[in-house]
Amino acid sequence: MSMKHEQSERLRERAEQLFPGGVNSPVRAFRAVGGQPPFVARAEGAYLWDADGNRYIDYFGSWGPMILGHAFPAVVEAIARAARDSSSFGASTAAEGDLAERVRAVYPGMERMRFVSSGTEATMSAIRLARAATGRKRIIKFEGCYHGHADGLLVKAGSGVATLGIPGSAGVPEEIASLTLALPYNDPGAVEAAFAQYPGEIAAVILEPVVGNAGCIPPGEGYLAGLRRVTAEQGALLIVDEVMTGFRLAPGGATELYGIDADLITLGKILGGGLPCGAFGGRQKWMDMLAPVGPVYQAGTLSGNPLAMAAGCATLDELASHRDAIYPRLEATSRAVAEGVARAAQEAGIAVTLNRVGSMWTWFFTGGAVRDYAEAAASDTARFGQFHRAMLERGVWLPPSQFEAMFLSAAHGPAEVEATVEAARAALAGMRL
Ligand SMILES: *Cc1c(COP(=O)(O)O)cnc(C)c1O
């Protein structure tokens, strides 16, 4: 059980001399859970290997993209094949249309779309478009929802922002932050009240249809339909941010699962099969406001990158052609491991609330229900940190924050479930007071 970490320590010392906090994205630094993050050398299927050769079952899946498991052969081949024809042209290719057709097959509401290189770019561009479409300035988001790191979206954002316990970000001017209304999730009354307070001023409501970035929080019965109704009545756009849920909760994401009729949808993560890629799209009348057709400017040197398009096509092809096997397997494996660990916690006398939708879930270290960010924040994060460290030591790598969702891949199966539940039993036993 005692793992060696010499190589990771050496790499970390070097990284700390090169990157703020030693990382290129804050949550990778393990500040919220304590302990030191291993450096990854490679991964295959459900497993990661660190620089010292230690093996871990992966429950963060590159924060969502790796739904088929790591180094999935068809994805690797597609990338290699595309790379031989050069990795970028800055001109249109057939591959962009190929991926867009695959996206529209499962997201018919994306009548027109545009590819970008990250989820951040997708949501930031969708907001700009919504403001142009409505001629309004304000937007509504929800506490604990993360939509990337654009200025106006870093207000009460989840994920790393929640993990660090800060309300927003330094460097975002008050004038910009004040245009973002951050409301409690799952509270239809709060949205009605905001529209009443700012009549004719709200351009859009943006949300995670199932929250992943405050930990996993499902929408209450009728909540999404209520948002659709009120935004339509008020002339505001409904932007469904499916960067995390897209292609994961169903082939057509939460949009398909809950039957949402969004104005604009944002995608990322799985879309690029592990390469940098995002997209935003929706009704043609809105999308045709983008340059070069309309006045809303948006662009990208590497947008529609051929390697990302190839990896995305290979991923979506696999998901589409085996949908009747993959999604039930994701559901069954996720249920077994999520409930197995929750039961182990109960047996150990440790209060845990499990929230799960398909292959996304969170074990909140709290006795109460978790329906919004305030309830998630009531969790015992020190306990979660203890659990995280104890699991890592036993070869199970969970996302390093209470306010993140686990992500399972189709490569996970009964063997990984059993090993994980066993590790959790031992970890939880050691956490008893
Ligand atoms: C990850 C995420 C983003 C940001 O995507 P990046 O590719 O990290 O910029 C936006 N929205 C949601 C819901 C996400 O989970």
Side-chain angles (χ1 to χ4, degrees), residues 275-289:
L275 270 73
C277 188
F280 64 105
R283 306 226 160 108
Q284 184 181 354
K285 70 173 168 182
W286 307 133
M287 292 302 290
D288 278 350
M289 293 186 71

Side-chain angles (χ1 to χ4, degrees), residues 63 117-121 123 146-149 207-208 212-213 241-245 266 268-269 277 407:
W63 302 86
S117 297
S118 68
T120 294
E121 280 183 79
T123 57
Y146 178 70
H147 303 292
H149 62 93
L207 85 159
E208 292 182 66
N213 286 296
D241 181 359
E242 288 233 54
V243 169
M244 187 180 273
T245 52
T266 54
K269 298 193 170 124
C277 188
F407 297 111

Side-chain angles (χ1 to χ4, degrees), residues 273-320:
L275 270 73
C277 188
F280 64 105
R283 306 226 160 108
Q284 184 181 354
K285 70 173 168 182
W286 307 133
M287 292 302 290
D288 278 350
M289 293 186 71
L290 287 174
V293 188
V296 181
Y297 199 72
Q298 184 281 329
T301 301
L302 294 177
S303 292
N305 175 266
L307 270 56
M309 298 295 105
C313 282
T315 301
L316 298 196
D317 280 347
E318 179 68 16
L319 291 174

Side-chain angles (χ1 to χ4, degrees), residues 102-401:
R102 284 160 173 77
V103 170
R104 201 165 59 183
V106 287
Y107 281 98
M110 293 177 75
E111 295 168 359
R112 294 290 184 274
M113 71 192 79
R114 184 159 278 173
F115 289 122
V116 291
S117 297
S118 68
T120 294
E121 280 183 79
T123 57
M124 149 187 125
S125 306
I127 297 283
R128 181 179 304 146
L129 186 53
R131 284 178 165 145
T134 57
R136 301 172 179 180
K137 288 182 188 163
R138 295 184 194 276
I139 57 166
I140 290 176
K141 74 177 285 293
F142 298 98
E143 293 167 5
C145 285
Y146 178 70
H147 303 292
H149 62 93
D151 280 354
L153 291 167
L154 276 181
V155 180
K156 297 197 177 165
S159 189
V161 187
T163 302
L164 294 171
I166 51 181
S169 171
V172 176
E174 174 61 33
E175 291 84 346
I176 290 177
S178 69
L179 295 176
T180 303
L181 307 167
L183 307 180
Y185 193 79
N186 270 331
D187 180 353
V191 176
E192 304 260 4
F195 276 107
Q197 192 180 349
Y198 299 104
E201 292 186 47
I202 295 166
V205 172
I206 183 169
L207 85 159
E208 292 182 66
V210 171
V211 184
N213 286 296
C216 180
I217 305 177
E221 188 73 40
Y223 179 61
L224 299 172
L227 290 178
R228 175 64 286 183
R229 186 183 44 74
V230 68
T231 44
E233 279 169 11
Q234 299 287 339
L237 269 55
L238 180 64
I239 304 174
V240 176
D241 181 359
E242 288 233 54
V243 169
M244 187 180 273
T245 52
F247 314 106
R248 177 167 286 282
L249 300 183
T255 297
E256 175 182 329
L257 185 65
Y258 297 102
I260 315 168
D261 177 25
D263 291 291
L264 295 173
I265 292 167
T266 54
L267 296 170
K269 298 193 170 124
I270 291 173
L271 174 68
L275 270 73
C277 188
F280 64 105
R283 306 226 160 108
Q284 184 181 354
K285 70 173 168 182
W286 307 133
M287 292 302 290
D288 278 350
M289 293 186 71
L290 287 174
V293 188
V296 181
Y297 199 72
Q298 184 281 329
T301 301
L302 294 177
S303 292
N305 175 266
L307 270 56
M309 298 295 105
C313 282
T315 301
L316 298 196
D317 280 347
E318 179 68 16
L319 291 174
S321 57
H322 299 291
R323 59 178 289 168
D324 295 337
I326 289 176
Y327 291 92
R329 177 181 164 95
L330 288 170
E331 168 65 24
T333 315
S334 300
R335 173 193 288 260
V337 70
E339 293 184 358
V341 171
R343 247 187 329 269
Q346 198 181 17
E347 282 160 20
I350 292 172
V352 163
T353 294
L354 169 63
N355 278 4
R356 183 180 69 87
V357 180
S359 58
M360 279 170 71
W361 72 88
T362 298
W363 298 294
F364 290 100
F365 282 72
T366 172
V370 177
R371 290 158 297 202
D372 60 18
Y373 177 65
E375 289 176 345
S379 301
D380 186 339
T381 53
R383 268 262 153 116
F384 177 83
Q386 216 183 343
F387 181 60
H388 185 276
R389 295 192 298 277
M391 291 297 274
L392 194 70
E393 239 171 64
R394 290 170 174 81
V396 180
W397 191 332
L398 307 176
S401 165

